[in-house]
Structures are given as structure tokens and as C-alpha cells.
Amino acid sequence: MDVRVEQLTAGYSGRTVVDRVDMTVPPGQVAAVVGPNGCGKSTLLRAMARLHTPASGRILIGGDDVWGLKQRQAAHRIALLPQSPQAPEAVTVAGLVRYGRHPHQGLFRQWSQEDERAVERAMTATRVTGLAERRLDELSGGQRQRCWLAMALAQQTPALLLDEPTSALDIGHAVEVLELVREIAADGRTIVMVVHDLAAAARYADTLVAMRDGRIVACGPPRETIDTALMRELYGIDTEILAAPSDGSPVIVPVSPTPVRQAATG
């Protein structure tokens, strides 16, 4: 299903943080939301996930406004992986992933074979099946992030929101998680993720959504969107934009405002 944001405005205590944002992400694509700290990225994601009530506007998943649905219905459409998720103490990987099936449980619908199959598929897709009985707190950061993604996948929503899914990961684990994000999208899910790493956004996203002061200032394929003017507008720095030798994706190189002097030798 596609994800559409229409004229979304949201804020806190009378202060506008997200200002009349419009955005469309087709099914099976990845949109990366980038911008300086405080520009409204996480507030946008929280409003899309029904965790922060917008002042106006709509968030549509497959044509249905998520704020017009009941909470359980919305949980069948959209899942959020927050930046710093918290797990119950000593939970195992399998136990964590099963939490993703909570929106599908109810008074007259208890745990079923369908739930078990959804958990197994999610663990297989994220390659954590071999960790099923391990405690989450015993794993590396990259392994834990794959487990959290498995929990979100087990929810079986057509849309998935990721708030800085690679924060605090080293480059190896970050690439592993982003490759997994691409695989999830290729399976048909629509993904909106907030990222700070522009190189990662340029390489792994279909659409780059650049925000500043609560508004979208640029939106489109990374190769067509990232340029020196955008870097100056977003971050106030001069850059050079190079093309990666492997696939031509943009590589952003900051330009030092003053020449770097080499240390004298002798």
C-alpha cells in the first residue's frame, strides 16, 4: 500500500514543528527523511504512527486515514520501530518477536498457528532464527536491531516506520541493517525511515525527503535531489558531490573553509 501525508501540521505547546508537509511513498519503496536536528523528522514519524496528534492534515495508508481508524485497525496498517526501543528484562529473541503479534490478539482470538508462522517468517527474513532462545541483552547492537526489525515484521503491516534504525551501530552493522531494509521493501512493504547518515540515505533510499524548520525543502530520487545548494540550505556547509564508482550514488564530501596545513617534517 502507498503512504501519503497530506498537509500535515503538528507541534508542541502552540509551537509548530511540522508545517504543512506533503509526501507520497509508493508501495515497496524506501523514503529517507533527512535534515538537521530539530527540523521535525521524528515528530513527523510519531504523527504518522499515531503517537502524536497532528493539528491538521491526514496520513493515508492505502487510502485510509490512520487517525480515522480504531487503534487496533491502525496497528494492522502501520508499525513503528522507535530510535531507542525498550524490551522487558531478560526477554528472549523469540519472546520479543512474538510481541509483534499483539495487535492480532483479542478476547476471542488467542495465539494461533498463523501467529506462529508470522513469527517464523519474520525471524527467517531477518536471519535471527538461530538466536531464538538467546536473551536480547546478550546480543551485539547489530543483532539486537535485526531482532527489533523481526518484531516489526511480525506485525505484518504494509507500512513500516523506522526512526534512525542505524543509530549507534558501527558501519558494518549499519550496512547489514540497511541491506535488510531494502530486502523488506522488495517484499512489498512501504518504508519511511529517519536517518542522519546522508551517504546511507543516498545509497539505500528510493526517495530523499529533506526537511528544514518543519517543512520539506526537497523531495525526489537522491541522485536528482542531493546537490551543493541543498547541503548548504540544510546544514550550512560547503560540499563537493561525487559519484560512487560502484553505482553512481551521491557521495557528500565537506569542504574545509580554510586550507588544512600539513605538519612540518624534518
Side-chain angles (χ1 to χ4, degrees):
M1 294 182 181
D2 66 337
V3 174
R4 283 189 290 144
V5 177
E6 296 180 348
Q7 288 292 292
L8 185 72
T9 297
Y12 304 92
S13 302
R15 180 173 65 93
T16 297
V17 177
V18 175
D19 189 8
R20 292 169 289 173
V21 163
D22 288 300
M23 178 177 66
T24 298
V25 187
Q29 290 202 5
V30 178
V33 184
V34 303
N37 291 336
C39 71
K41 301 184 300 293
S42 291
T43 300
L44 170 62
L45 228 59
R46 287 176 58 81
M48 293 174 68
R50 285 176 47 113
L51 296 179
H52 182 77
T53 306
S56 60
R58 301 194 300 169
I59 300 106
L60 305 169
I61 310 293
D64 293 325
D65 188 347
V66 296
W67 282 97
L69 301 174
K70 294 181 179 179
Q71 185 172 355
R72 187 175 294 272
Q73 292 174 321
H76 287 195
R77 297 293 183 92
I78 197 162
L80 169 70
L81 181 56
Q83 183 177 348
S84 300
Q86 300 295 317
E89 187 175 355
V91 69
T92 65
V93 170
L96 176 73
V97 179
R98 290 189 184 106
Y99 279 113
R101 299 302 296 169
H102 178 72
H104 300 269
Q105 307 302 305
L107 182 62
F108 300 106
R109 191 195 182 287
Q110 301 303 309
W111 191 264
S112 67
Q113 289 186 345
E114 180 184 347
D115 295 313
E116 197 62 41
R117 285 192 295 268
V119 168
E120 291 173 359
R121 284 194 296 268
M123 293 178 67
T124 298
T126 52
R127 296 181 283 280
V128 298
T129 303
L131 305 173
E133 301 309 317
R134 295 274 301 277
R135 283 175 38 168
L136 191 70
D137 56 14
E138 296 175 344
L139 305 180
S140 70
Q143 289 173 323
R144 285 197 300 272
Q145 196 69 333
R146 284 192 283 124
C147 295
W148 284 111
L149 278 169
M151 187 195 73
L153 287 182
Q155 195 171 327
Q156 290 187 313
T157 58
L160 182 59
L161 309 177
L162 309 175
D163 194 356
E164 297 191 37
T166 59
S167 63
L169 297 182
D170 61 45
I171 188 170
H173 286 120
V175 167
E176 184 180 72
V177 168
L178 290 168
E179 291 285 355
L180 179 56
V181 168
R182 287 299 331 175
E183 291 174 16
I184 293 168
D187 196 41
R189 284 182 169 88
T190 308
I191 297 176
V192 179
M193 63 178 183
V194 166
V195 291
H196 275 295
D197 186 344
L198 278 173
R203 182 174 292 271
Y204 291 99
D206 299 293
T207 300
L208 188 84
V209 181
M211 292 186 66
R212 182 173 179 84
D213 297 329
R215 294 189 176 186
I216 292 178
V217 296
C219 183
R223 297 184 195 187
E224 300 174 11
T225 306
I226 294 176
D227 57 22
T228 56
L230 180 63
M231 294 302 99
R232 196 174 299 114
E233 182 176 7
L234 291 181
Y235 305 106
I237 60 172
D238 291 324
T239 57
E240 293 180 357
I241 310 298
L242 310 178
S246 59
D247 61 3
S249 61
V251 177
I252 301 100
V253 181
V255 176
S256 176
T258 56
V260 178
R261 296 180 180 178
Q262 293 184 346
T265 60

